[in-house]
Amino acid sequence: MISILAVLLLCSAVLAESSLQVNRAGDSYLIPLRNKGTIRQVDIVSLAAALSIETTTDSNGIRLQIMLPQKLSFRIGNPWLQCGTKILQMPTPVERVGSAYWTPLEWSIKKLTEQGVEEIEFDADTPALTVKPGKAKWRGIDVQSENERTVVLSLQLPPGPVVSTFTSDTTFAVQESGAKVADSNFSVNLPSSMGRVKKDFSLDPPQVLFVFTRKIQSIDSLSPRSWRIKLIELAKPTTPAPPKTTASATVPSTNLKEANTTKIDAAKKRWQIDCIVLDAGHGGHDPGAKGNGMFEKELTLDIVQRLANLLRKESGLRIVLTRSSDSFVTLQDRGKIANRANGKLFVSIHINAARDKDGSGIETYFLSPAKTPRALEVAKFENEVVNLETDQKAYEKMSNEKMIVLAMAQAQFLKESQQLADLVQKEAVKRIGISDRGVDQAGFYVLVGASMPAILFECAFISNKRDAKILRDQDYREKFAQALYDGIRTFRNQAQ
């Protein structure tokens, strides 16, 4: 008879082999593993996300592409793949199960990291993958064409992790996560007539700002690490001309309308919502709100997992969770996870509470300074999580000049965040049937770092007996997930 101790040891060994721990830039991820005969396999999509490498699939999920400088192209059931212009063979065919794409572990690590600049340490016994910043070089910025009205620039970075970019009218900011950049490795020169370059490699992540003397008309992403930037001459104040009554006067306005329509269509095409990041509030040693025998951290994770299952049915859509278990994730790391996954929407799910036991209902927030005492109170409560974090100094810099780029990043998504919040709030109130507390704005730390439309959804009040009864009911938690799904799907359809 097998002893209880032997069974526990056997279970521990099985569990130890069920995931790969990836340690990168202060974050830790657990990536699913499985055994296929004698070969260990990894979900290469999850591994790529942990390494901040973009992936795409076709509408049927049959073809998978990993967007490295030399792109990897896979086909389900086939051991052969294309790497740039070369054809390679894997030890086993790629197999898809749900949203996971299974490929050989050691082979996948080698292929995903050999084109980058990061330093990799792989411990096959643990198993664990430790990623350390390597030294990255920046190539120069090239002027492709120039005339009196427009300038077209080309900016390319060498192989490395996916970077984050933020844009204002005349500024293009780039943050290089997971790499060290020394002044000696920096060779970007911008002609003084076109603007100036401001760099700060002491920041984490290192940051470079291109401040142009002209307005940015468009930025086309040629790859995750290269862009074509078109600048136009800044408009000069002019005296309005008297209106003309001739037929020819309508031609410029028609052309302008057509040009604007073309520009809008092009912008929509560039902004494909192909990755949604779902954030279950609190977790680990942070239980969140407590009431009526329940913990916020457990309810939010349950609703997030239900929502993820619904969204995974959408074709061409990748879902990333900031936590998939009862683990503690810092507020700033949640935004980092979203950015590294190249997310296009960030939805943070929470459960409300109030000293007033009569407080009830649903409300949705987007990031902006609080305008009401109630919104300020909610944000203060959610932000108190920083007291449970080991590095609280990071939040002391929220008003620092170095955080301007992050604020600018969210400001450009203000309209979209509010639109998403309105859609989600409407669907949730309709499905759940409790008080509509409306859409509001406040300064939530968890939303600051996400460079994409972002909302915080407060499901109901755990402190209210009627709301708590709803939260305890798994059918209602499914309704919350369905309402969020409907709101997100409507927003996604309108944005495409």
Side-chain angles (χ1 to χ4, degrees), residues 17 33-35 38-42 103-106 122 124 127:
E17 289 295 317
L33 292 181
R34 72 172 192 178
N35 291 324
T38 59
I39 297 178
R40 277 191 299 186
Q41 294 185 324
V42 65
T103 54
L105 173 61
E106 286 79 3
F122 175 53

Side-chain angles (χ1 to χ4, degrees), residues 139-419:
R139 298 175 188 165
I141 189 166
D142 299 323
V143 179
Q144 290 189 326
S145 64
E146 179 181 6
N147 58 43
E148 199 172 293
R149 176 65 178 158
T150 63
V151 175
V152 178
L153 304 173
S154 173
L155 174 63
Q156 292 185 334
L157 302 186
V162 175
V163 297
S164 302
T165 62
F166 312 123
T167 310
S168 67
D169 282 350
T170 59
T171 303
F172 181 53
V174 182
Q175 291 182 334
E176 174 108 53
S177 300
K180 295 176 182 177
V181 185
D183 283 324
S184 59
N185 286 345
F186 184 78
S187 60
V188 175
N189 294 311
L190 184 67
S192 58
S193 61
M194 295 181 190
R196 66 186 191 279
V197 179
K198 298 170 66 176
K199 61 183 187 296
D200 191 341
F201 298 145
S202 65
L203 293 178
D204 182 18
Q207 173 181 293
V208 177
L209 276 72
F210 300 90
V211 184
F212 300 111
T213 54
R214 300 188 179 207
K215 184 177 180 180
I216 297 174
Q217 184 182 58
S218 63
I219 296 180
D220 295 320
S221 179
L222 306 179
S223 76
R225 296 176 62 83
S226 64
W227 305 268
R228 181 183 294 112
I229 307 169
K230 186 174 183 180
L231 309 175
I232 59 172
E233 190 177 21
L234 289 172
K236 298 178 181 178
T238 57
T239 304
K244 297 181 180 180
T245 57
T246 61
S248 60
T250 61
V251 174
S253 63
T254 302
N255 291 339
L256 181 60
K257 186 175 181 179
E258 291 176 355
N260 286 338
T261 301
T262 302
K263 183 179 177 182
I264 291 170
D265 290 342
K268 286 183 177 180
K269 188 175 181 180
R270 288 196 303 273
W271 185 256
Q272 297 292 328
I273 300 177
D274 54 8
C275 177
I276 296 176
V277 181
L278 303 179
D279 173 53
H282 308 277
H285 62 272
D286 169 27
K290 295 173 282 187
N292 290 292
M294 294 181 292
F295 295 103
E296 178 178 5
K297 66 174 184 177
E298 297 171 354
L299 297 171
T300 58
L301 182 59
D302 181 77
I303 293 171
V304 158
Q305 289 173 334
R306 292 172 184 272
L307 175 57
N309 289 336
L310 292 171
L311 288 169
R312 287 188 180 113
K313 297 175 183 177
E314 295 284 307
S315 62
L317 184 59
R318 184 163 51 91
I319 307 302
V320 174
L321 307 187
T322 59
R323 69 178 183 96
S324 56
S325 62
D326 185 15
S327 57
F328 181 76
V329 183
T330 67
L331 295 180
Q332 61 175 337
D333 283 346
R334 294 171 191 253
K336 286 181 180 179
I337 291 169
N339 294 335
R340 287 172 185 155
N342 209 24
K344 300 297 174 60
L345 291 181
F346 182 84
V347 179
S348 186
I349 298 175
H350 291 256
I351 307 297
N352 227 329
R355 295 185 182 90
D356 178 8
K357 302 300 182 183
D358 291 331
S360 170
I362 299 166
E363 55 191 350
T364 312
Y365 289 89
F366 58 94
L367 182 66
S368 202
K371 288 186 176 181
T372 65
R374 170 61 192 159
L376 188 62
E377 181 184 345
V378 174
K380 183 180 178 182
F381 174 77
E382 297 296 356
N383 291 343
E384 283 179 352
V385 176
V386 302
N387 296 325
L388 301 176
E389 298 184 17
T390 55
D391 181 17
Q392 297 176 25
K393 292 182 180 179
Y395 303 97
E396 295 173 4
K397 300 177 182 179
M398 282 292 176
S399 59
N400 192 286
E401 185 184 38
K402 293 181 179 180
M403 300 300 289
I404 289 176
V405 172
L406 288 179
M408 180 180 72
Q410 258 306 310
Q412 69 175 322
F413 299 118
L414 187 62
K415 182 179 178 182
E416 290 85 357
S417 297
Q418 186 172 4
Q419 181 186 359

